Amino acid sequence: MTADKHFKRRVRERARRTGESYTAALRHLRRSDAEEHGMEWQRIERTDFGYAVHVPQGWDERPPNLRNSPWETARYGDRNDRRHGLIVFRQPVRPGREATEMAEIVRSSLEGLGFTGFGIAETRVAGLPSALLTGVKEDAGRVMALREYMAIRGGVSFCLGCWTTVPEEDDPVFAGMAERFELLGEPS
């Protein structure tokens, strides 16, 4: 029953986000889940930071690079395939700030690093109204694509910073990570 409830919530959220009918969203998610069925997920709980991520089996956790950001909590990736990864950020935010505002702040910062082609869309992460920031950086004929999922709860912003050089392969994986992201404990 719980799995059905979760799946129905995903269908309703997709229909709302994309404007599709419930039936079209259901058909899409069933197809996506069938394709994804071969992928096994592992859950990594970070109680010290109040979240749990679900990453593909075989990905491991690495220490944060605090020179990148003092708000970085962990990095995840596949040591055998360095074309993609995930960084999780957690930082305090002023009361009343919304996820789309955080996306604008991050967009401005990434722009300074040479990223372009930004888009910001409303979505849901961990059951909360959230934002998805997308962008790309081209360098020497290679493209790095970003998908940053941002949610705010109790004065704390959580960001799943997904990056890849093969977005056509990884976008469904990143969407799966965002759908499965969990905030632990009660909101403060």
Side-chain angles (χ1 to χ4, degrees), residues 35-104:
E35 291 170 359
E36 184 183 80
H37 184 67
M39 177 177 295
E40 292 186 36
W41 295 91
Q42 61 180 330
R43 182 177 184 271
I44 302 171
E45 192 170 292
R46 291 300 309 263
T47 55
D48 51 337
F49 291 113
Y51 68 80
V53 295
H54 295 253
V55 296
Q57 196 69 40
W59 283 35
D60 57 9
E61 182 175 350
R62 301 172 192 150
N65 177 353
L66 299 179
R67 281 185 255 155
N68 178 48
S69 168
W71 308 113
E72 189 174 312
T73 63
R75 291 174 172 247
Y76 302 90
D78 183 343
R79 292 202 187 276
N80 299 318
D81 187 352
R82 298 185 182 267
R83 298 178 300 164
H84 48 222
L86 167 69
I87 303 172
V88 182
F89 302 89
R90 180 187 185 275
Q91 74 180 76
V93 295
R94 70 171 171 73
R97 178 152 280 165
E98 295 185 10
T100 52
E101 291 177 85
M102 287 302 297
E104 281 294 337

Side-chain angles (χ1 to χ4, degrees), residues 29-183:
L29 286 175
R30 280 186 177 156
R31 186 174 56 248
S32 294
D33 284 1
E35 291 170 359
E36 184 183 80
H37 184 67
M39 177 177 295
E40 292 186 36
W41 295 91
Q42 61 180 330
R43 182 177 184 271
I44 302 171
E45 192 170 292
R46 291 300 309 263
T47 55
D48 51 337
F49 291 113
Y51 68 80
V53 295
H54 295 253
V55 296
Q57 196 69 40
W59 283 35
D60 57 9
E61 182 175 350
R62 301 172 192 150
N65 177 353
L66 299 179
R67 281 185 255 155
N68 178 48
S69 168
W71 308 113
E72 189 174 312
T73 63
R75 291 174 172 247
Y76 302 90
D78 183 343
R79 292 202 187 276
N80 299 318
D81 187 352
R82 298 185 182 267
R83 298 178 300 164
H84 48 222
L86 167 69
I87 303 172
V88 182
F89 302 89
R90 180 187 185 275
Q91 74 180 76
V93 295
R94 70 171 171 73
R97 178 152 280 165
E98 295 185 10
T100 52
E101 291 177 85
M102 287 302 297
E104 281 294 337
I105 292 167
V106 172
R107 182 201 54 79
S108 178
S109 176
L110 290 170
E111 211 167 38
L113 297 173
F115 286 89
T116 62
F118 293 103
I120 297 176
E122 293 181 4
T123 188
R124 293 190 73 78
V125 174
L128 299 170
S130 304
L132 169 60
L133 170 68
T134 57
V136 296
K137 181 177 184 178
E138 297 184 45
D139 184 23
R142 290 183 37 198
V143 175
M144 177 187 285
L146 294 177
R147 291 177 72 88
E148 305 237 347
Y149 296 89
M150 296 168 209
I152 297 175
R153 183 178 80 178
V156 177
S157 170
F158 295 86
C159 175
L160 299 175
C162 307
W163 62 269
T164 180
T165 59
V166 287
E168 62 283 350
E169 292 178 25
D170 287 331
D171 283 352
V173 175
F174 296 154
M177 287 182 199
E179 287 177 9
R180 290 168 174 81
F181 185 71
E182 302 170 45
L183 294 177

